[in-house]
Every structure is written in C-alpha cells, then in structure tokens.
Amino acid sequence: MPQLTFVRTVRIAATPVLLAAGAMLFLLVMPRPAVAQEDGALRTMENAARRYQEVRSMCADFEQVIEVRLLGRTIESAGRICQQRPNLFSMRFTEPQGDLVVSDGGFFWVYYPSMDDEQVMRYPVADSPGRHDFFREFLEDPAAKYAASDSGTESVAGHECRVVSLTPKAAASYRRARLWVDARSYLVRRLELHEESGNIRTVTLHNEDLAPAIGPALFTFHPPEGARVLGPPGSPGTGREQ
C-alpha cells in the first residue's frame, strides 16, 4: 500500500513589523525623487555663490572650446580671466593673442582682432550684467534664475566636482548650461553653455587665485585708432574712432 504524504500549508500573517520592514526596503531601492535632486543641485549652486561672495577679486587661467555645430568645426582658445567686485571683469586671450572681453564697470568691450582688428563691440553693463561675466550670470541668486538638477560627479584636473545642469527660467542667450563645482572648495572648475545658435561653449579653469594683485589697467580698454565701435541700436558714442 503506497504511503500518503501530507503537505501542510502555513500562512504567515503580515504583521506590522513585517509591513514596516517592507516599506523601508522599498524606500531604500526606489530612485531619488526629482525634487530631491533639484534641492541638492540648488544647494551646490548656493554654496558656490556664497564662496564667491566671500572674495573681492579672483583670477584663473582658462581653456575654451567652442563646438560650431553648423560648420562642423571646433575652435580652441586660452588665456587668463579676472574679476573684481562688483562689476569689473577681464578675459584676455593668449591664444589667439590680443583677443579680449573687458568690463570697466560701465561698459563691456569685446575686441577680437583675430577676426576683425577694426571692429569693437560695446555693451552697457547695466543692460546685461551677466552677458560675458559668467560668475555673475550663474552665481547671483541662482535659485531664482534656474531650474537645476544634479548630474552626478566628475573629476576636473584631479578635483572631484558635482555636476549641476541648469535651465534658465527667463529668456537667455543659451538654452541650458552645466557647471562643475568643486565638491570641497565650491569653486567652479568648468562650465558648458548650449547656446541659442547651436554652439556648445566649454570653459575650464585652472590655477584659481582668490587674492590676486590686480592693477586698474587690467579692466581698462581703449579702442585702437580708426576702429569702428558698435553697440546696441540707439546707443551713443558708436562709430569710427578718430
């Protein structure tokens, strides 16, 4: 006579302790909410903003790469950038030699003799305070100006950085941007602009000096004799320098 095997089914009640453990496990493995990512990115930006508020002036060497998508070419340049609060700015190129962007506090002067040595562009600083000075553009009240998200971590020249992606809340000359912010010092090590033209501009900073000795000549520019000074429509004082 064959033996009969009895299988006993045991039900385990879902006790409050087990339910709580399951909920904790779900919270641990679920993705980070977008709100938490944005909060973390904005905290990084605000820490960087406070870091720059602490210093009166700064200088750094820079390397710039512009991807011109329309022409399928890449333009590389280098030089030194300096800023002095509240509105003095200098971006002088060593490659190509002589190109510059300077704010004397009243105007931004843009002169690229490598392209046209007889043309100078001039813009009132008050009309577009962050037009060329990206420190002011990104580090003045970032929470009010950008929607931000955390894009992880990357190393720039041996410095671990938080990567923050930014989308302007108001009209701007670029569609979006990314900043590499040093995770320890909160200095900006690199920025990337996706411009309205389709170009992608990347600026990497090296050898940042937060207490440089800067003379007033660095933030002064006089157009070359005979150069055309161009500016926004209706702006006074434009034309050919005598």
Side-chain angles (χ1 to χ4, degrees):
M1 181 175 183
Q3 293 184 347
L4 298 178
T5 302
F6 294 92
V7 178
R8 184 179 182 184
T9 302
V10 180
R11 290 188 178 183
I12 300 176
T15 65
V17 173
L18 290 174
L19 290 174
M24 287 297 295
L25 179 61
F26 174 74
L27 290 174
L28 287 173
V29 300
M30 70 182 296
R32 291 179 61 194
V35 173
Q37 294 185 31
E38 181 172 2
D39 289 346
L42 285 175
R43 279 196 299 272
T44 297
M45 291 299 298
E46 289 168 354
N47 286 334
R50 282 192 290 270
R51 184 71 175 94
Y52 279 99
Q53 287 288 337
E54 295 172 357
V55 299
R56 177 170 174 77
S57 58
M58 63 83 60
C59 288
D61 298 327
F62 73 86
E63 297 170 355
Q64 179 174 259
V65 178
I66 303 175
E67 297 179 39
V68 185
R69 294 296 182 88
L70 186 61
L71 301 178
R73 59 178 296 205
T74 299
I75 301 173
E76 298 183 3
S77 56
R80 189 159 179 81
I81 190 169
C82 293
Q83 182 192 38
Q84 185 168 296
R85 300 177 61 82
N87 52 18
L88 300 179
F89 179 81
S90 169
M91 189 174 189
R92 296 178 181 267
F93 292 75
T94 54
E95 181 58 42
Q97 181 70 42
D99 284 9
L100 59 83
V101 177
V102 169
S103 168
D104 58 15
F107 292 94
F108 269 108
W109 301 89
V110 182
Y111 181 47
Y112 294 146
S114 64
M115 300 175 61
D116 187 344
D117 61 2
E118 294 187 352
Q119 178 173 294
V120 176
M121 301 299 296
R122 187 179 72 172
Y123 307 93
V125 169
D127 290 352
S128 52
R131 187 183 185 99
H132 298 284
D133 182 350
F134 54 78
F135 296 109
R136 297 186 69 190
E137 174 71 19
F138 293 108
L139 299 179
E140 287 190 354
D141 201 9
K145 294 161 65 176
Y146 305 103
S149 61
D150 191 332
S151 296
T153 61
E154 289 184 20
S155 178
V156 177
H159 301 279
E160 182 181 359
C161 297
R162 300 297 307 182
V163 185
V164 179
S165 297
L166 302 172
T167 303
K169 294 181 178 179
S173 60
Y174 53 93
R175 301 169 184 169
R176 61 186 182 277
R178 289 201 300 167
L179 267 66
W180 283 253
V181 180
D182 193 300
R184 296 183 62 186
S185 67
Y186 293 108
L187 297 178
V188 176
R189 301 290 182 184
R190 175 177 291 159
L191 64 92
E192 177 186 275
L193 297 177
H194 292 250
E195 300 174 343
E196 284 292 344
S197 62
N199 296 347
I200 300 177
R201 182 187 305 266
T202 304
V203 179
T204 303
L205 303 177
H206 305 280
N207 305 319
E208 292 184 281
D209 184 352
L210 302 184
I214 304 177
L218 188 67
F219 304 111
T220 302
F221 175 73
H222 299 288
E225 185 177 352
R228 301 182 307 276
V229 179
L230 306 178
S235 59
T238 57
R240 187 172 292 274
E241 292 290 315
Q242 303 297 322

